[in-house]
Amino acid sequence: MASPPSPRLLCALLGDRLAALSARPLLRTAAPGRGHRRVTCQATRTLSSLVDALFNRRSRDDSLESNPRRLRPGKVSPRLTVPSHIQRPPYVNSRQRPQMNDGPEIHDEKGIECMRASGKLAAQVLKFAGTLVNPGITTDEIDKAVHQMIIDNGAYPSPLGYCGFPKSVCTSVNECICHGIPDSRPLEDGDIINIDVTVYLNGYHGDTSATFLCGDVDDEAKKLVQVTKESLDKAISICAPGVEINRIGRTIQDHADKFKYGVVQQFVGHGVGKVFHAEPAVLHFREQ
């Protein structure tokens, strides 16, 4: 049996969820086929299953008692407010669970310009958030700073209220793969943290993330971050009109395999635009 994944995991993003690599090989099952693709796409539509996978499933080996250095959740503060004049996404305060759209969004020139504006703001917010990463700061403090910058620019923080998510940014520390909820835990020297920023501006979402090093990080974690970023860059480089989407996953896994890293298969990439999580679903591992 293969070794369990390292406690250090991260996500590198193309749109949202592109390459999640672990520092040890993950246990691999049979090669995924078309049925697997349907199951994976369905997982993106049923957010409750993702919440369950992230927060409720814990084996005995993963318990805090067996590994005292594992990430421990802190206290989650009350959700922040957004001025009433700022446009909300349709899912905010809705009782209906948001779904992916039925097909890829095709944007006109105005839509593309709106996407550029929201993407630019998201990138600026992410860059600012990265400057805050230092030992001693809490992810809750990062969330408050991100929230303020987003609303100061007339945008809405997309994660806030999405399927009940209580915060304005996702902060995933060490072994938390993605969608981490900011809380009272201070960052520690040697942590790695993925910050996932999405803004809703003029009716369009801009979505981006990056992983940052906190203080003096060991070589193993630095290499993991570097290889994941390389996987992201290689996948971006092959994107062009007419390129089959499954080449993205092959490109990522080919690079990860060189370093004997596993690729997390429980999450997928996605389109973005008027819809937060839009088609197409993008697998970031090799389909065979």
Side-chain angles (χ1 to χ4, degrees):
M1 181 177 293
S3 302
S6 163
R8 285 196 166 147
L9 298 165
L10 69 125
C11 286
L13 284 292
L14 174 60
D16 184 31
R17 224 64 60 211
L18 183 91
L21 307 185
S22 67
R24 297 180 186 174
L26 292 175
L27 177 63
R28 285 188 170 86
T29 56
R34 294 184 180 274
H36 181 86
R37 181 183 179 87
R38 289 195 295 270
V39 171
T40 304
C41 293
Q42 182 63 30
T44 67
R45 305 171 191 270
T46 310
L47 274 300
S48 60
S49 64
L50 299 186
V51 172
D52 181 57
L54 277 171
F55 304 115
N56 298 332
R57 295 177 185 171
R58 177 180 293 166
S59 68
R60 291 182 180 180
D61 290 339
D62 287 339
S63 68
L64 294 175
E65 291 75 13
S66 65
N67 187 350
R69 290 185 60 84
R70 284 190 66 84
L71 186 66
R72 296 171 182 266
K75 295 182 179 179
V76 178
S77 62
R79 62 185 290 174
L80 301 172
T81 59
V82 177
S84 59
H85 70 274
I86 291 178
Q87 183 181 2
R88 270 84 167 148
Y91 53 78
V92 175
N93 299 323
S94 172
R95 294 184 179 181
Q96 292 186 344
R97 188 178 300 276
Q99 302 289 329
M100 292 183 74
N101 52 324
D102 293 332
E105 292 184 283
I106 306 299
H107 304 284
D108 57 18
E109 289 187 13
K110 180 179 179 181
I112 292 172
E113 287 303 314
C114 287
M115 289 184 65
R116 285 198 178 104
S118 60
K120 181 178 180 179
L121 176 59
Q124 292 170 339
V125 173
L126 179 64
K127 183 177 180 180
F128 166 67
T131 67
L132 303 176
V133 174
N134 282 295
I137 192 172
T138 67
T139 50
D140 189 57
E141 290 172 319
I142 294 175
D143 176 76
K144 289 178 180 177
V146 165
H147 178 91
Q148 192 62 48
M149 182 174 180
I150 292 173
I151 64 173
D152 283 349
N153 282 273
Y156 185 92
S158 302
L160 187 63
Y162 184 82
C163 287
F165 193 84
K167 292 296 178 179
S168 300
V169 67
C170 297
T171 53
S172 305
V173 180
N174 296 340
E175 69 267 27
C176 181
I177 299 174
C178 59
H179 305 148
I181 300 175
D183 60 22
S184 63
R185 177 193 180 273
L187 293 180
E188 299 177 5
D189 190 55
D191 282 346
I192 58 176
I193 175 173
N194 181 270
I195 301 178
D196 186 355
V197 173
T198 313
V199 305
Y200 186 68
L201 180 67
N202 297 324
Y204 287 80
H205 297 275
D207 190 2
T208 185
S209 86
T211 298
F212 301 93
L213 309 179
C214 182
D216 185 15
V217 176
D218 63 37
D219 291 340
E220 179 187 14
K222 287 180 180 178
K223 183 179 178 182
L224 178 61
V225 174
Q226 176 185 342
V227 173
T228 305
K229 179 61 164 58
E230 291 170 356
S231 298
L232 169 67
D233 292 340
K234 288 178 179 295
I236 291 174
S237 71
I238 60 101
C239 292
V243 173
E244 293 183 348
I245 291 177
N246 61 15
R247 278 193 59 194
I248 294 174
R250 292 202 304 270
T251 301
I252 293 166
Q253 186 142 28
D254 285 348
H255 192 62
D257 285 349
K258 294 177 183 178
F259 299 89
K260 298 183 179 180
Y261 285 178
V263 181
V264 176
Q265 299 187 5
Q266 284 79 5
F267 299 93
V268 298
H270 61 84
V272 66
K274 291 182 179 179
V275 179
F276 191 172
H277 296 111
E279 293 283 0
V282 183
L283 304 188
H284 48 264
F285 52 89
R286 187 185 303 109
E287 284 189 281
Q288 296 179 350

